[in-house]
């Protein structure tokens, strides 16, 4: 990562991974997450509302550190930064995508799922990465096995991580935080039950490595 912003890996133990269908929900949702202690918010670029949601959060929730997830192209990088994203997250990476993220001037977490991808990023001077899809790609045992030969790499595992499994990830020396959606249950979002989201966010924010 490059930028004056403190590492996204160190802002909170959990980064909520948010899919926003209606941009009108962005601000109250972000306020609930921040109030619960989760300031870093990854808004995925999977819906037409995503960029408007990022703009709204950036403009109206000053305590949030809003970023864009599912960034898979140079155009996506440019659009996300223009909308106000303060960090970028990709599910994987290519040389051209990595070049665009480096040139963006904001912190980024390129996605990896193999040792070779990790080594290739280390060669490029990138030490902080998203491990995705975490559970399907080997989970805690896989990341634990990387900590010996590649201690300089740090990860945010995302993909299938739950409240129950998060502590085991956070206990690893090479994990700074995890990404998850469990504090954003579909029924709570549908009901716009922001108090419940805040309560679940607070529970997630209290997770610490043991």
């Amino acid at each position: 990562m490059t930028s004056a912003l403190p590492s996204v890996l160190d802002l909170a133990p959990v980064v909520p991974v948010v899919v926003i269908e209606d941009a009108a929900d962005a601000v109250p949702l972000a306020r609930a997450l921040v109030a619960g202690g989760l300031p870093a918010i990854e808004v995925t670029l999977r819906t037409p509302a995503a960029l408007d949601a990022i703009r709204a959060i950036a403009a109206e929730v000053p305590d949030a550190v809003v970023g864009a997830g599912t960034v898979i192209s140079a155009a996506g990088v440019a659009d996300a930064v223009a909308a106000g994203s303060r960090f970028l997250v990709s599910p994987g990476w290519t040389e051209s995508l990595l070049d665009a993220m480096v040139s963006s001037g904001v912190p980024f977490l390129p996605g990896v799922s193999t040792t070779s991808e990790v080594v290739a990023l280390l060669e490029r001077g990138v030490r902080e990465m998203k491990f995705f899809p975490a559970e399907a790609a080997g989970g805690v045992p896989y990341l634990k096995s990387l900590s010996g030969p590649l201690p300089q790499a740090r990860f945010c595992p995302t993909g299938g991580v739950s409240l129950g499994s998060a502590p085991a990830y956070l206990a690893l020396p090479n994990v700074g935080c995890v990404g998850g959606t469990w504090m954003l249950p579909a029924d709570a979002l549908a009901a716009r039950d922001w108090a419940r989201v805040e309560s679940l966010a607070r529970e997630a924010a209290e997770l610490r490595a043991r």
Side-chain angles (χ1 to χ4, degrees):
M1 280 195 174
T2 58
S3 174
L5 179 73
S7 169
V8 176
L9 298 184
D10 297 326
L11 291 174
V14 181
V15 176
V17 179
V18 183
V19 180
I20 295 179
E21 302 288 350
D22 184 347
D25 292 338
V27 167
L29 174 58
R31 285 175 175 159
L33 291 170
V34 171
L38 301 181
I41 302 169
E42 176 187 334
V43 177
T44 67
L45 302 183
R46 302 181 197 173
T47 68
L51 290 173
D52 285 338
I54 291 170
R55 289 187 192 97
I57 294 170
E60 299 183 46
V61 192
D63 291 333
V65 179
V66 64
T70 321
V71 177
I72 58 173
S73 67
V77 169
D79 289 345
V81 173
S85 295
R86 295 175 64 187
F87 65 94
L88 306 169
V89 184
S90 68
W93 66 278
T94 64
E95 292 291 342
S96 60
L97 177 58
L98 186 64
D99 288 343
M101 290 193 290
V102 170
S103 298
S104 73
V106 302
F108 57 90
L109 293 172
V112 298
S113 60
T114 70
T115 306
S116 294
E117 290 169 332
V118 176
V119 172
L121 285 176
L122 291 174
E123 281 189 350
R124 292 286 303 267
V126 178
R127 295 189 174 191
E128 297 188 347
M129 313 166 194
K130 171 180 178 175
F131 179 59
F132 177 83
E135 287 291 288
V140 170
Y142 191 94
L143 284 177
K144 185 175 182 180
S145 71
L146 292 183
S147 65
L150 301 171
Q152 63 272 55
R154 295 181 73 215
F155 300 95
C156 173
T158 306
V161 180
S162 67
L163 179 63
S165 63
Y169 282 103
L170 292 168
L172 297 175
N174 55 351
V175 169
C177 65
V178 300
T181 61
W182 73 84
M183 72 298 300
L184 302 161
D187 58 341
L189 298 186
R192 294 177 169 81
D193 186 350
W194 308 129
R196 184 178 172 202
V197 170
E198 180 180 339
S199 176
L200 291 171
R202 185 170 291 106
E203 183 180 31
E206 291 172 354
L207 292 172
R208 290 292 182 269
R210 292 180 174 87

